[in-house]
Amino acid sequence: MNIELLITGIAIGLLTSAPIGPVNVLAIRRAVHYGFLPGLIAGFGALLADGVFATAAAFGVTAISDFVQQHEIYIQTVGGVLLIIFGIVVYRSQAHLKGSINGGGSVWRGLILSFVMTVTNPGVILGFIAIFGSLGERAPAKGDYFGALALVLGVLSGALLWWACLSALVSKLRNRMNDKWLAAINHTAGVVLLVFAGLILAKVAQDVFF
């Protein structure tokens, strides 16, 4: 396996996962409410979507990227509406620190939400295409499937490392919080999600009408 491509992929996975966005907000909230594992699984949903898009970009699969580009406005609209709904639900949710860590429904709901949030963001696959394209001679050569696989595995490893560290840190701080802290986090998270939704829908409106 190409170690250089693996390390490059890890760096890309960290860089694409770390910026604060809707999925980071969701993972932080899950870790605060339920502990390490639910927070990690929430991030894992985004990791799955990243894996699909990174694979498409690394192996030169154009069908997915063409579909995303052709239907970008519709995909962004769906993503923006979902964020509005989720933002309102988060803002209005009742904060109780003693939520069950083993609540399976809550855990897997986080994974599904984060996957949907990521897969409805056209910028993800376009971002991977741009990043991989910028690697130049360091990118896997055409037909180098093992190199492309190493790059994708690196991306997934880097993303997993980010979500694990984030969830571990937040779940550790969780022990110092009370229900008032959680209420503030819920309100802040809800507002942040609504702001992201507004920015997405504003971009859609700009693309459609201007």
Side-chain angles (χ1 to χ4, degrees):
M1 180 171 288
N2 191 317
I3 301 300
E4 183 179 352
L5 283 174
L6 182 67
I7 295 174
T8 299
I10 291 174
I12 293 173
L14 285 169
L15 291 173
T16 54
S17 300
I20 296 299
V23 178
N24 274 273
V25 172
L26 173 63
I28 290 171
R29 184 172 177 272
R30 291 282 171 179
V32 167
H33 277 270
Y34 304 109
F36 169 76
L37 185 58
L40 177 62
I41 291 178
F44 196 75
L47 185 149
L48 290 176
D50 285 346
V52 172
F53 289 151
T55 300
F59 284 87
V61 179
T62 59
I64 295 178
S65 59
D66 288 344
F67 177 85
V68 169
Q69 288 178 320
Q70 292 171 7
H71 301 85
E72 183 175 359
I73 290 176
Y74 301 107
I75 295 173
Q76 285 183 327
T77 300
V78 171
V81 171
L82 288 174
L83 279 185
I84 288 176
I85 295 172
F86 185 57
I88 293 173
V89 170
V90 169
Y91 188 90
R92 297 182 60 184
S93 61
Q94 298 296 318
H96 297 292
L97 188 58
K98 296 181 180 180
S100 173
I101 293 180
N102 297 317
S106 296
V107 169
W108 298 114
R109 186 162 59 246
L111 184 147
I112 294 170
L113 281 170
S114 63
F115 179 83
V116 172
M117 286 180 184
T118 306
V119 84
T120 56
N121 181 2
V124 176
I125 186 171
L126 299 179
F128 277 119
I129 291 173
I131 292 172
F132 289 173
S134 68
L135 294 178
E137 296 180 353
R138 295 185 178 180
K142 186 175 181 179
D144 182 8
Y145 298 114
F146 287 107
L149 178 62
L151 187 61
V152 172
L153 290 177
V155 170
L156 295 178
S157 299
L160 182 60
L161 177 61
W162 167 258
W163 296 120
C165 291
L166 178 67
S167 299
L169 176 62
V170 174
S171 60
K172 185 174 182 179
L173 295 176
R174 174 178 186 263
N175 297 325
R176 304 179 184 180
M177 297 180 179
N178 53 36
D179 285 358
K180 290 183 179 180
W181 276 86
L182 294 188
I185 289 173
N186 281 346
H187 291 161
T188 302
V191 170
V192 170
L193 291 171
L194 290 173
V195 169
F196 277 115
L199 292 174
I200 291 171
L201 295 178
K203 183 180 183 302
V204 170
Q206 183 180 21
D207 291 341
V208 172
F209 297 110
F210 300 100

